[in-house]
Amino acid sequence: TLNGCAGVQKLEFTQKTSGGMHAGSSLLVLNLNGDSLQDVLIGDVSFTNLVAAYNGGHIDSAFMVAKDTLYPVAQPTAIEYFPAAFYEDINFDNVPDLMVSPNLNGSQNTKNNWLYPNNGTVNNPSWGSIDSAFLVSEMLDIGSAAKPTLVDIDFDGDLDLVVGGKGLYTAPSTYKSRMFLYTNTGTNTSPIFTLTDTDLANAGYNNLGESLSPTFGDLDGDYDPDMIVGTETGQLFYYENTGNFTAHSYTYRGSLQSIDVGNFAAPTLGDIDGDGDLDLLVGNEIGTIAFYEFTGTLPNAFTLVDAAWAGIDMTSPQAPDGYSAPAIVYGSDTTLLIGSESLGVVQKDSLRTIMSGVTALDVVFGGGTTTSSTREATPFGGSKRNGRTQIVFSKDELTSAGGIYGQLKTIGFELGTNASLYLTQGFDIKMTHVTDTTQTTFITQNLQSVYSGIRVMTTGWNDIPLDVPFTWNGTDHLLVEICFSKHAQTGDIPVKLQTTSFASMRYGDITGWNGITNDGCQMPYGGRSTQRPNMRFNLRPTLRNADTHFLASGARLHPAVGDLNADGYPDVILGNMSGGLHYFQGKAFSDIAIEEIPTAPVKCLIYPNPTQGIFQFECTDNRVTVAHIYSLEGRLLGAIPAGGRNEFALASGMYLVVFEMENGERNVERLIVQ
């Protein structure tokens, strides 16, 4: 056993347990002194230093005879905590160098990648001057859990960058959270971000807590961006911009309406319902998003519409905590980009459907008046111990009944006259999508469990809340399985039946499957019928997953969206758990199967520009028939036709005017309103 805490001991590679072992050590085997023997560098879980153990034994029998407890001697490693050493050729001179980083979550998170260049040889290293921020010094790094947002804070026509997050490690389990302002000192087509404020609004001084997550928008009608900050405790805090357009000054106004969405509040402001004001979406640790509508004036401007809006759930089997972080992309149908712990950034569309006012739909398949009289005709065939039924609803039936893409929250069965019968051991319900309604066997793949429990049902409709909502994709058929086991055989529970145009009901073969040890949910297929129970679903329309992005960018992703290069396409700055940022440029989608024929670029002129409010445009190509006006944050404000004038008012500021042809080619110009 070799223990970096207890000192130097003989290496014994055996399977016996040593009483001196502890939580962990990191080991790097290399030749430190130019002899023919391999030495060891040891990092310990509770310490900041490296220990060098020198081998004085033999090639086939190591024996450590000396140690340096502060290694390297000239510049000892001091990283909190659990340093791990790596021997790699970093500068490509064919001689490996020494790199040391912490090997423990909740440890030093800035200047934590130490590089010792090797000026010696592979087997006799000589360490040069240390670089204590190797690679990290070339990045924007705020510590841990970077949470960026984009805003034109100085009103100069380009987007600046504000980054919050968990912040800088100061001691075990202690972080100093602040917000960093990186002013865009480049242009609106070529951004350059320069750090100009290491504690924006003195948020660190105000002790809001950890994991600060900022968002900006004009909340008091004075045309400058105010700020809302989410925190690790789930609270939101409001800062009023009491400065002017070119010189911001943020005044702390305290907690925003005592809003608390649970841990790790991640707010974003945007016009969700299309009424021209800024609503509030707030992500959280459990992966849902709360929707607050702007309905009044500060300090009580927001009204909670839904604490788990649109059925959004960013959890996964790998990450039961979802850490949702929404960002808004404006367009013909407003889109959400939602960061998460492990799902990347998920793009969700169909926001227009969600905001049309429909919060829940009853999808009913009833009308049948016949009552079941056999075990095979009811999914609750309690005259036997075990049972299994699969029921199919075609996509056309679902659509005709009003179904759209969304989550099935409840399932209902209409029972015939039932006095007191129930399945004594309860029953399970599973659902899945299927592409065929003509199967002559049970479906066994991809069944999702949505309910398990004992339910006493009575005559008439019985609605069962699902333990786990099932998302119907709006395009496939739906299969529902009901199964039970080890029932007391009290009798069949009757259901009302309707007749369908296809064999929509499949029942199990009880032959040889009624034993007390049999599993009803594994019962073999017995037959099918065109009679199906009267059933209904409560469906909650939700946003459709359009795409998934940035899966390789790390954990706990937090997107910020804006047009950083004035090309008319949204760009993304993405924060991650490591405290770093990624920059992704938005591009037009191109079909590579279509031959591209170069064309002359479209030129458009806006006049007058600057303007007091009224303007029009002309283009060199008459196929440009409309111009869309966007804020710098990417929000669509309106459109004007060629030859026409704008019919809507614009506040003083800078805007993007996007001219688009039928083939998707775009021209973007800036508009200044004075």
Side-chain angles (χ1 to χ4, degrees):
T1 303
L2 186 62
N3 190 321
C5 296
V8 179
Q9 301 179 29
K10 184 176 179 179
L11 282 172
E12 298 177 356
F13 296 99
T14 66
Q15 295 184 359
K16 68 181 182 180
T17 300
S18 169
M21 296 181 70
H22 56 85
S25 294
S26 63
L27 302 176
L28 174 64
V29 177
L30 74 168
N31 191 342
L32 290 173
N33 52 13
D35 60 13
S36 59
L37 303 176
Q38 295 293 297
D39 310 301
V40 181
L41 290 180
I42 309 167
D44 186 78
V45 69
S46 304
F47 290 82
T48 65
N49 61 298
L50 287 177
V51 174
Y54 296 96
N55 188 355
H58 304 280
I59 293 177
D60 60 351
S61 179
F63 188 83
M64 301 302 166
V65 297
K67 65 179 179 179
D68 284 327
T69 57
L70 294 174
Y71 187 86
V73 175
Q75 301 173 86
T77 297
I79 297 179
E80 298 183 16
Y81 278 95
F82 200 2
F86 304 88
Y87 201 40
E88 300 291 342
D89 183 11
I90 301 298
N91 54 12
F92 303 105
D93 63 354
N94 295 317
V95 179
D97 308 292
L98 180 66
M99 187 167 61
V100 187
S101 295
N103 193 39
L104 188 69
N105 286 331
S107 57
Q108 185 173 332
N109 59 10
T110 57
K111 294 186 177 180
N112 57 356
N113 198 27
W114 291 25
L115 174 63
Y116 296 87
N118 187 354
N119 296 328
T121 64
V122 174
N123 293 312
N124 191 15
S126 174
W127 310 123
S129 298
I130 184 176
D131 179 356
S132 62
F134 175 61
L135 296 179
V136 181
S137 61
E138 301 174 8
M139 308 174 186
L140 300 185
D141 185 358
I142 60 94
S144 294
K147 300 177 183 296
T149 191
L150 291 163
V151 58
D152 185 8
I153 204 167
D154 52 9
F155 215 73
D156 64 350
D158 53 36
L159 291 172
D160 307 296
L161 175 65
V162 177
V163 187
K166 194 170 184 68
L168 306 178
Y169 170 91
T170 58
S173 302
T174 304
Y175 294 81
K176 182 62 176 179
S177 297
R178 296 173 290 174
M179 291 182 296
F180 298 81
L181 170 60
Y182 294 88
T183 301
N184 188 346
T185 55
T187 67
N188 73 325
T189 59
S190 182
I192 299 173
F193 294 111
T194 303
L195 180 61
T196 55
D197 194 336
T198 58
D199 191 6
L200 179 65
N202 295 316
Y205 174 82
N206 290 327
N207 292 320
L208 304 185
E210 296 179 0
S211 298
L212 304 185
S213 181
T215 186
F216 292 84
D218 178 19
L219 297 175
D220 53 8
D222 62 357
Y223 302 113
D224 56 23
D226 306 300
M227 178 170 64
I228 293 175
V229 182
T231 65
E232 187 167 321
T233 62
Q235 295 176 284
L236 302 180
F237 295 92
Y238 171 50
Y239 285 80
E240 181 185 356
N241 189 346
T242 54
N244 55 47
F245 290 137
T246 59
H248 62 272
S249 178
Y250 286 98
T251 302
Y252 176 61
R253 300 302 190 194
S255 176
L256 180 66
Q257 299 181 214
S258 299
I259 291 174
D260 187 346
V261 299
N263 293 335
F264 294 92
T268 189
L269 288 164
D271 185 8
I272 300 300
D273 52 12
D275 63 356
D277 53 33
L278 294 177
D279 307 301
L280 179 64
L281 297 180
V282 191
N284 54 34
E285 181 182 29
I286 63 174
T288 59
I289 290 179
F291 171 38
Y292 292 83
E293 184 181 0
F294 192 98
T295 56
T297 57
L298 293 168
N300 298 300
F302 296 101
T303 300
L304 178 64
V305 176
D306 196 337
W309 178 63
I312 292 170
D313 180 2
M314 302 306 292
T315 61
S316 68
Q318 296 76 30
D321 292 327
Y323 291 95
S324 51
I328 302 168
V329 183
Y330 295 100
S332 57
D333 184 2
T334 303
T335 296
L336 289 184
L337 293 181
I338 307 175
S340 69
E341 177 72 9
S342 67
L343 298 177
V345 174
V346 177
Q347 178 181 339
K348 290 180 177 285
D349 61 13
S350 303
L351 187 61
R352 183 177 298 169
T353 300
I354 300 301
M355 298 311 302
S356 65
V358 178
T359 57
L361 300 168
D362 287 323
V363 182
V364 182
F365 301 93
T369 58
T370 302
T371 300
S372 63
S373 58
T374 65
R375 179 194 68 84
E376 292 82 3
T378 173
F380 311 108
S383 61
K384 301 296 183 182
R385 288 192 180 92
N386 308 311
R388 186 181 189 186
T389 301
Q390 289 189 350
I391 303 168
V392 177
F393 299 87
S394 74
K395 61 182 179 182
D396 292 335
E397 286 182 300
L398 289 160
T399 302
S400 297
I404 60 175
Y405 183 99
Q407 291 184 333
L408 302 179
K409 305 286 285 186
T410 69
I411 185 171
F413 301 89
E414 186 180 12
L415 268 60
T417 302
N418 181 41
S420 59
L421 295 177
Y422 69 99
L423 297 178
T424 57
Q425 300 301 311
F427 55 92
D428 296 338
I429 301 176
K430 303 173 185 177
M431 295 184 182
T432 191
H433 294 104
V434 292
T435 57
D436 187 7
T437 63
T438 62
Q439 300 98 335
T440 56
T441 186
F442 279 145
I443 298 297
T444 60
Q445 300 296 317
N446 302 316
L447 288 168
Q448 176 183 328
S449 295
V450 296
Y451 174 82
S452 180
I454 298 175
R455 180 85 178 190
V456 178
M457 296 188 289
T458 59
T459 303
W461 281 104
N462 296 260
D463 294 305
I464 303 171
L466 300 181
D467 299 331
V468 180
F470 180 83
T471 300
W472 180 54
N473 62 16
T475 57
D476 287 328
H477 313 304
L478 173 67
L479 182 143
V480 178
E481 176 176 285
I482 302 100
C483 58
F484 59 91
S485 303
K486 302 177 180 60
H487 171 59
Q489 301 187 118
T490 53
D492 298 328
I493 300 174
V495 295
K496 292 289 187 179
L497 299 172
Q498 62 176 181
T499 301
T500 59
S501 61
F502 63 99
S504 56
M505 178 94 158
R506 296 165 178 77
Y507 51 85
D509 183 0
I510 195 65
T511 305
W513 214 267
N514 198 41
I516 193 67
T517 60
N518 292 121
D519 181 357
C521 296
Q522 299 297 320
M523 181 179 290
Y525 174 79
R528 58 181 185 161
S529 168
T530 58
Q531 288 194 310
R532 181 178 67 195
N534 288 351
M535 294 171 61
R536 66 187 182 189
F537 304 91
N538 184 259
L539 184 146
R540 180 182 189 176
T542 187
L543 299 175
R544 185 188 303 270
N545 286 1
D547 207 345
T548 300
H549 307 277
F550 317 132
L551 282 168
S553 296
R556 205 167 301 181
L557 301 182
H558 190 110
V561 180
D563 186 2
L564 290 170
N565 53 7
D567 64 353
Y569 299 105
D571 307 305
V572 174
I573 290 183
L574 189 65
N576 59 35
M577 186 60 192
S578 297
L581 299 170
H582 295 221
Y583 173 33
F584 298 90
Q585 286 188 349
K587 298 293 183 183
F589 174 78
S590 298
D591 187 343
I592 61 174
I594 300 175
E595 182 181 0
E596 298 182 5
I597 302 175
T599 57
V602 177
K603 297 294 183 182
C604 294
L605 173 67
I606 304 171
Y607 58 93
N609 188 15
T611 177
Q612 299 294 325
I614 302 299
F615 63 93
Q616 59 190 49
F617 73 91
E618 291 182 359
C619 297
T620 57
D621 194 314
N622 58 15
R623 288 177 294 173
V624 178
T625 59
V626 67
H628 293 93
I629 317 301
Y630 291 86
S631 69
L632 291 180
E633 290 77 23
R635 175 182 165 198
L636 178 63
L637 302 175
I640 60 174
R645 295 186 175 187
N646 58 306
E647 301 294 336
F648 49 90
L650 293 172
S652 299
M654 184 173 293
Y655 301 88
L656 297 177
V657 183
V658 179
F659 308 93
E660 187 166 353
M661 297 173 56
E662 294 178 355
N663 63 1
E665 183 180 341
R666 291 184 173 193
N667 175 263
V668 181
E669 300 290 344
R670 284 184 292 176
L671 170 68
I672 298 175
V673 179
Q674 296 177 331

